[in-house]
Amino acid sequence: GDDLVVGHISIDSDNVLGALDKLQKMNVPFRKNSSVPAGADAGSMNTNANDDMMSDKIVTQFFVRDPDGYYIEVCNCDETLTKYCLGEKDALPGYEEGVKPFSFATASVTISLMQRWVAKLDARRDQTKTLSEKVKKETDGSVEEIAKLLGYTPACEVDATILQTLKDRHSIYSDIWQ
């Protein structure tokens, strides 16, 4: 869609205009974010690609997509957005996230739910550890032995394409669930 409030990787550049020039010379399609806060001392809040936009006091962001379609942002964010996002600045003049503070009741319920999730996670971790120890103790580590211990029947054949996809996803994302 047109909304650039998306998951992305950000690369901060001291020369964002030089990066833009290279993108244009290589005919790389890009998008400019036009909803970036400029900060209190930026002068004009104009977000068109003109001299005002290119002021060194204004956050300039350009987005390109990698071959998988994931956004990569090139920006000059360090002095404003990066410090704000990392908690090094308490406020960013001219920027409103739209997130309202929790009420005490909402915060209490949230904390209670998180405590329950942590307890369930701890229980699951203990179950996994116990099962892992049981597998090491009662099987020779083969698929057949582990499947029998767990009450499963191993597959007769492995779909090589699916297996390779799972291996690739694991090596790229460190999990297979994405």
Side-chain angles (χ1 to χ4, degrees):
D2 291 330
D3 187 3
L4 285 176
V5 181
V6 295
H8 63 279
I9 295 170
S10 180
I11 300 171
D12 191 22
S13 172
D14 292 337
N15 184 4
V16 72
L17 297 181
L20 170 62
D21 186 49
K22 286 183 182 183
L23 291 174
Q24 290 173 325
K25 284 179 181 174
M26 295 186 301
N27 293 321
V28 174
F30 66 90
R31 299 210 14 234
K32 175 177 55 74
N33 192 357
S34 60
S35 63
V36 181
D41 62 348
S44 169
M45 291 291 280
N46 188 345
T47 56
N48 294 320
N50 58 27
D51 290 338
D52 258 354
M53 177 63 182
M54 301 312 167
S55 161
D56 64 348
K57 294 181 179 177
I58 296 177
V59 174
T60 303
Q61 296 172 305
F62 296 98
F63 290 80
V64 297
R65 286 186 181 243
D66 74 6
D68 292 325
Y70 200 77
Y71 279 108
I72 298 173
E73 168 192 1
V74 179
C75 70
N76 61 343
C77 300
D78 189 49
E79 288 302 314
T80 51
L81 287 179
T82 301
K83 289 182 179 177
Y84 175 71
C85 291
L86 295 176
E88 295 172 12
K89 279 181 127 177
D90 291 334
L92 188 59
Y95 184 63
E96 171 69 39
E97 282 192 38
V99 178
K100 304 214 183 306
F102 284 152
S103 68
F104 181 75
T106 302
S108 298
V109 169
T110 302
I111 290 168
S112 177
L113 284 172
M114 291 171 63
Q115 288 172 334
R116 287 184 196 174
W117 291 337
V118 168
K120 287 182 179 184
L121 177 63
D122 287 342
R124 179 62 73 170
R125 188 179 300 123
D126 291 344
Q127 290 171 352
T128 302
K129 184 178 178 184
T130 301
L131 181 59
S132 177
E133 290 168 356
K134 189 173 183 179
V135 166
K136 288 177 186 175
K137 190 177 192 178
E138 298 180 22
T139 73
D140 60 9
S142 67
V143 172
E144 293 79 13
E145 288 280 320
I146 295 171
K148 183 179 174 184
L149 177 71
L150 297 175
Y152 295 108
T153 304
C156 296
E157 292 181 29
V158 173
D159 184 319
T161 304
I162 292 174
L163 180 60
Q164 187 59 49
T165 300
L166 291 174
K167 287 179 179 179
D168 292 346
R169 293 194 77 77
H170 186 268
S171 69
I172 293 168
Y173 303 112
S174 299
D175 68 33
I176 58 171
W177 306 107
Q178 290 235 345

